[in-house]
Amino acid sequence: MSAEHYQSTYIQEQFAARIGGSNYGKDTNIYKFEKIKRAKAAAKKAHPDVELIDMGVGEPDEMADAGIVAKLAEEAAKPENRGYADNGIAEFKHAAAKYLKEVFSVDGIDAETEILHTIGAKPALAMLPTVFINPGDVAIMTVPGYPVLGTHTKYLGGEVYNVQLTKENNFLPDLNAIPEEIAKRAKLLYLNYPNNPTGAAATTEFFEQVVAWAKKFNVVVVHDAPYAALTYDGIRPLSFLSVPGAKDVGVELHSLSKSYNMTGWRIGFIAGNPLIVKAFGDVKDNNDSGQFIAIQKAAAYGLENPQITEAISEKYSRRHNRLVAVLNEIGFRAEKPKGSFFLYVEAPKGIVGGQRFESAEDFSQYLIREKLISTVPWDDAGKFIRFSVTFIAQGEAEEARVIDEIKRRLTDVQFEF
Ligand SMILES: Cc1ncc(COP(=O)(O)O)c(C=O)c1O
């Protein structure tokens, strides 16, 4: 029996208002990622012999390092690792503290009280509002961005105040433009650098401003940093916690998903203010029973070997270089990001003498339909599309071929920017 069948039963009447109440599932709006999925399926059907180049995927194209996989196999075989992990093992916490010191020069993190493992950054973002948000409280989010903390804030009867990330402001939020009335009601400020989708990086000066602003308005800062170690061209990875006073105002979320090609493994950590970490631990303890100890041990091995991430960064850096060069030849104004695997470029206005693109989504749909190139559009603050350099390609020659193919497909039309 299908889900639709049950829409006519009492089950449909029982849904909570936060997910749409009795209207749940009847919304005819199709969400962005579903539209992309459908357009990809239609394009493949229309052109079964043409390779679909997928630049839309937000996760690594390769598997985890062989040493990490071997460690998992070894630890998974030990009977003592079989049980509930609860709020985590000391070995992982110590590896995380050492990683913060080695990669980000963050001193003085107490592994016992200031770090806790998470089953990835996403569930941590989903739980943090439970720690802080009462009905009517505000969470400040940045758009375009990763919405999970805002979604849960709304689930709890809180409000979301969106701050736009614009090119003019280097995709950093202008904290001074947040109305005082909002700042005073805000409990949480969500930040994410290097940023998904803009690829922008924060600066020490910006983080210093964040600390001062948070102290002025008594706001808790959540810095979501799953891309923090993926930086390019000698730019040092930057942690919010490396800025004086950061630990007084907030926490940072790290994840092995992107920096260690471990999206499916579900492991990361929260670090920072010990009182926030403690309260988060209490809420977490009521949500999950911890990640499998063998995964924590394999992840600890990964954190002790940050050169694994450096090799991954080198690959993305090389891919970004090629893609930026090709897009600029075509007429885009592409700039290599400081970090992350995302390249965020302004969509063209249209095709010279032809079709107009009213939105980034319009352009992205055109790229899938006509060129079999998949990207993700963002219309929240200007019209941009996001390329991800995690496209499938084994080795440099194959990478070059894929990017040359993009160039070939996009040079038979002239875009108007
Ligand atoms: C900004 C941001 N935060 C969090 C996540 C989720 O990371 P994790 O796999 O650690 O849950 C993602 C994944 O796409 C992301 O882009």
Side-chain angles (χ1 to χ4, degrees):
M1 213 65 89
S2 67
E4 284 73 30
H5 167 81
Y6 283 97
Q7 282 182 341
S8 58
T9 72
Y10 76 88
I11 303 296
Q12 183 70 33
E13 303 309 311
Q14 305 309 319
F15 290 124
R18 69 177 67 88
I19 66 159
S22 58
N23 279 325
Y24 166 75
K26 295 184 174 170
D27 187 345
T28 50
N29 277 340
I30 307 171
Y31 294 102
K32 180 165 77 181
F33 288 96
E34 180 58 26
K35 273 191 199 161
I36 295 170
K37 209 165 109 189
R38 291 186 192 184
K40 271 163 55 177
K44 271 194 212 160
K45 200 167 164 208
H47 306 278
D49 303 328
V50 183
E51 171 192 19
L52 188 134
I53 301 178
D54 200 341
M55 308 293 278
V57 191
E59 62 175 308
D61 58 317
E62 285 189 74
M63 67 179 282
D65 174 81
I68 298 178
V69 176
K71 184 77 176 160
L72 173 66
E74 183 190 325
E75 297 297 336
K78 294 182 182 166
E80 67 269 27
N81 291 338
R82 74 189 182 286
Y84 289 127
D86 296 329
N87 272 346
I89 58 169
E91 187 179 325
F92 178 82
K93 293 183 188 196
H94 284 275
K98 193 162 152 252
Y99 170 79
L100 286 176
K101 166 86 181 127
E102 204 164 306
V103 177
F104 300 93
S105 305
V106 173
D107 282 311
I109 293 287
D110 181 338
E112 293 301 328
T113 60
E114 295 174 350
I115 288 188
L116 211 58
H117 88 288
T118 64
I119 303 183
K122 188 177 190 175
L125 293 167
M127 288 176 220
L128 280 163
T130 305
V131 179
F132 289 104
I133 299 292
N134 287 323
D137 289 343
V138 172
I140 299 172
M141 302 292 294
T142 54
V143 285
Y146 193 74
V148 174
L149 184 138
T151 303
H152 283 265
T153 294
K154 287 189 265 182
Y155 282 174
L156 295 167
E159 290 170 32
V160 169
Y161 182 84
N162 286 325
V163 180
Q164 292 202 337
L165 301 182
T166 62
K167 197 168 185 165
E168 299 70 54
N169 225 4
N170 297 319
F171 302 111
L172 297 170
D174 179 359
L175 299 175
N176 297 323
I178 298 171
E180 198 157 320
E181 176 264 329
I182 295 291
K184 283 183 175 157
R185 281 170 56 218
K187 285 268 188 79
L188 295 172
L189 169 67
Y190 170 84
L191 298 170
N192 159 231
Y193 291 98
N195 182 258
N196 174 10
T198 68
T203 58
T204 304
E205 298 71 45
F206 170 70
F207 279 155
E208 284 167 356
Q209 281 172 28
V210 169
V211 170
W213 182 89
K215 286 190 173 173
K216 180 172 173 194
F217 293 106
N218 298 339
V219 175
V220 170
V221 177
V222 175
H223 184 231
D224 180 19
Y227 305 97
L230 295 173
T231 55
Y232 308 122
D233 303 324
I235 296 167
R236 275 206 62 144
L238 178 66
S239 164
F240 178 59
L241 299 174
S242 66
V243 169
K247 216 160 63 173
D248 301 335
V249 302
V251 284
E252 185 162 78
L253 299 174
H254 286 264
S255 168
L256 282 83
S257 287
K258 318 296 167 103
S259 45
Y260 286 89
N261 294 343
M262 286 167 69
T263 38
W265 295 52
R266 313 310 306 134
I267 183 79
F269 63 90
I270 187 170
N273 185 286
L275 185 55
I276 301 175
V277 170
K278 177 177 153 54
F280 173 79
D282 286 337
V283 168
K284 182 182 179 309
D285 199 28
N286 281 290
N287 274 275
D288 63 60
S289 298
Q291 183 51 279
F292 183 27
I293 291 172
I295 290 185
Q296 290 188 52
K297 291 200 172 172
Y301 166 89
L303 293 174
E304 281 157 7
N305 288 280
Q307 74 281 2
I308 295 171
T309 306
E310 284 163 23
I312 296 170
S313 272
E314 261 173 47
K315 179 181 90 175
Y316 293 146
S317 180
R318 186 175 72 219
R319 290 179 172 202
H320 273 308
N321 287 343
R322 280 188 200 276
L323 186 61
V324 164
V326 157
L327 292 178
N328 283 334
E329 271 181 58
I330 296 162
F332 287 89
R333 280 177 306 239
E335 264 178 63
K336 184 179 183 183
K338 304 271 190 310
S340 88
F341 40 60
F342 300 123
L343 180 61
Y344 189 69
V345 291
E346 219 158 330
K349 294 191 177 72
I351 295 170
V352 174
Q355 182 178 351
R356 305 278 88 197
F357 302 122
E358 300 304 332
S359 61
E361 185 164 291
D362 237 13
F363 178 57
S364 170
Q365 288 281 320
Y366 161 88
L367 283 182
I368 300 178
R369 201 176 53 243
E370 309 287 334
K371 303 291 175 187
L372 280 96
I373 299 170
S374 173
T375 59
V376 178
W378 300 85
D379 283 299
D380 307 68
K383 296 186 272 181
F384 288 82
I385 60 166
R386 189 192 79 181
F387 289 83
S388 177
V389 293
T390 53
F391 58 88
I392 306 270
Q394 274 296 333
E396 278 192 58
E398 177 63 6
E399 274 167 34
R401 185 197 66 77
V402 171
I403 293 172
D404 284 350
E405 179 62 18
I406 293 178
K407 179 174 164 186
R408 200 186 60 74
R409 290 187 196 179
L410 296 185
T411 35
D412 63 353
V413 280
Q414 200 187 341
F415 292 113
E416 186 187 325
F417 288 90

